[in-house]
Each structure stands twice: as structure tokens, then as C-alpha cells.
């Protein structure tokens, strides 16, 4: 996010009495507990334990002597040196042949099964709470729901377009080479937010960590709304 050549980067869980809706990357599962009756009263339903498939990033810390080709050979899921560079351009900088030791690169993704403990369901019927996948799609949808409550404009496509341009979808991206970095306030996260802007446009209820995907997106969209009317109006460095 820059202007005049400089980045000004901003950058309930309830359940139904007859079941719960558990959402994950593998689809939607409806768990219906068995309800028995004794003495003319139905037993209290309980929520079944579930397992969700989360997508996690695989990262690698650069050491002296590393090249993109060498790293791509270690991690076939990266798709090769060219794709590895595209996915980490915001971290590496404009020269793909220069890898500074200590840089953290995203080299692929993996699916992790996360068990959810069974908990008693409430007796009163309530609307099922939303759950979000731990990936870019889930982060954007979660942020959009927070933005709607805070009356911050923006659409899925507008956010996704800017995320892919700024960080290629890497929530750990950090720019260590532009004017902001030289000033000691590097741009961070999915929408490349500098710390002062993140703090100024942070939305209550989200994490204070600028690398947190939902907090980063929401603060960035709050900034874009104040300066450009909406993240949808941003089509280049802001």
C-alpha cells in the first residue's frame, strides 16, 4: 500500500437442539444426536465430537547458500523455483536470485485434522454459529462478517485481488526492502500493513498481531475505506 512511491500500508457458538452444523474444508456435516424420553421428558441433547480439516502453511527459514532451486527440490509441494518466487515475492523482493538468510518462505500447504471436543447442547434452540476454514478463503469470509458488523465496505473479490498482489496469500509476508522497511516500519501480512497504520485502523475484537490474517485484512479494509472509499477501489500500490 503506497502513495508517491512510498507504502502507507495499513494496512456465538450456539447449536440447534436437534443437531449442530460443523463446517470444514471437506464440506458440511450435520450431526443429529439421539434423543430419548423418560418420565415424559426428553433427554438433554449433546453435541457430537467432530474433526475439521484445516489447511496450514509449510514454512522454511532461509540459510546461507540457499537458492530457490535448492529449496524447491527440498519441498516438491512448492511447485518449482518459479512458483516459489511468485508465492514469496513480497518477502524476497524484486531479485529472485538474492535470498537473505533468516527470511521465512512459504513452501507449500498441508491438511491438519483438528478434533473438536463434544460439549452439551443448550436446551433452547438457537441459530448455529458460523465456522471458518483456516485458509485464505476462510480468513476473507471471517473478516467480511466482522466488516459488516463494523459497517466497513468491501467485497470478497476486492480483498482477494489485493491480497494476491500484496502477499500472494502468505500471512507471514514481510517487506524488508522498500522505503518503509528502510525507515524501520516494514509492511507485514496478507495486505502488507505497517505497524502505525495497523494500530490506527485496528478493528476492536480482532487480534493485535499484524500477522493475524483476519486482523490484518480487517484493518487494511478499514484504512482503504477511509482513504479510498473501499478496498474494492484499490487496484495497485496504496
Amino acid at each position: 500500500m503506497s502513495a508517491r512511491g512510498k507504502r502507507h500500508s495499513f494496512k456465538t457458538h450456539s447449536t440447534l437442539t436437534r443437531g449442530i452444523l460443523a463446517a470444514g474444508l471437506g464440506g458440511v456435516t450435520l450431526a443429529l444426536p439421539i434423543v430419548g424420553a423418560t418420565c415424559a421428558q426428553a433427554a438433554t441433547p449433546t453435541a457430537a465430537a467432530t474433526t475439521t480439516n484445516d489447511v496450514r502453511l509449510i514454512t522454511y527459514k532461509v540459510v546461507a547458500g540457499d537458492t530457490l532451486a535448492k529449496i524447491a527440490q527440498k519441498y516438491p509441494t512448492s511447485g518449482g523455483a518459479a512458483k516459489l518466487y511468485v508465492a514469496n515475492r513480497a518477502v524476497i523482493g524484486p531479485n529472485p536470485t538474492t535470498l537473505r538468510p533468516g527470511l521465512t518462505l512459504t513452501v507449500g500447504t498441508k491438511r491438519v485434522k483438528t478434533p473438536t471436543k463434544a460439549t452439551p447442547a443448550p436446551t433452547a434452540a438457537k441459530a448455529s454459529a458460523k465456522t471458518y476454514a483456516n485458509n485464505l478463503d476462510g480468513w476473507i469470509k471471517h473478516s467480511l462478517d466482522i466488516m459488516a458488523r463494523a459497517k466497513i465496505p468491501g467485497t470478497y473479490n476486492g480483498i482477494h485481488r489485493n491480497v494476491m498482489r500484496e502477499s500472494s496469500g502468505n500471512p507471514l509476508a514481510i517487506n524488508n526492502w522498500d522505503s518503509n522497511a528502510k525507515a524501520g516500519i516494514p509492511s507485514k501480512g496478507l495486505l502488507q500493513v505497517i505497524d502505525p497504520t495497523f494500530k490506527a485502523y485496528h478493528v476492536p475484537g480482532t487480534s493485535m498481531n499484524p500477522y493475524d490474517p483476519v486482523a490484518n485484512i480487517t484493518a487494511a479494509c478499514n484504512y482503504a475505506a477511509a482513504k479510498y472509499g473501499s478496498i474494492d477501489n484499490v487496484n495497485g500500490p496504496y
Side-chain angles (χ1 to χ4, degrees), residues 84-110:
L84 187 60
Y85 174 62
V86 171
N88 293 278
R89 182 182 297 151
V91 177
I92 298 170
N95 187 355
T97 63
T98 302
L99 293 181
R100 295 179 296 279
L103 292 180
T104 298
L105 307 182
T106 298
V107 294
T109 60
K110 60 182 178 180

Side-chain angles (χ1 to χ4, degrees), residues 100-146:
R100 295 179 296 279
L103 292 180
T104 298
L105 307 182
T106 298
V107 294
T109 60
K110 60 182 178 180
R111 293 182 179 271
V112 178
K113 289 187 177 182
T114 305
T116 302
K117 292 182 179 180
T119 55
T123 55
K126 296 180 180 179
S128 179
K130 282 188 177 181
T131 58
Y132 306 92
N134 187 29
N135 56 21
L136 182 57
D137 178 72
W139 301 330
I140 293 176
K141 290 176 178 177
H142 192 176
S143 184
L144 283 169
D145 284 343
I146 296 172

Side-chain angles (χ1 to χ4, degrees), residues 57-76:
L57 296 174
I58 302 173
T59 60
Y60 173 78
K61 183 169 287 188
V62 176
V63 298
D66 272 340
T67 65
L68 288 176
K70 289 181 179 179
I71 297 172
Q73 287 181 344
K74 292 180 182 178
Y75 297 93

Side-chain angles (χ1 to χ4, degrees), residues 174-200:
I174 180 170
N175 186 316
N176 288 312
W177 52 270
D178 70 357
S179 58
N180 283 321
K182 292 177 182 177
I185 48 173
S187 305
K188 302 174 180 178
L190 288 174
L191 281 168
Q192 292 293 276
V193 188
I194 60 173
D195 285 343
T197 309
F198 177 80
K199 292 177 182 177

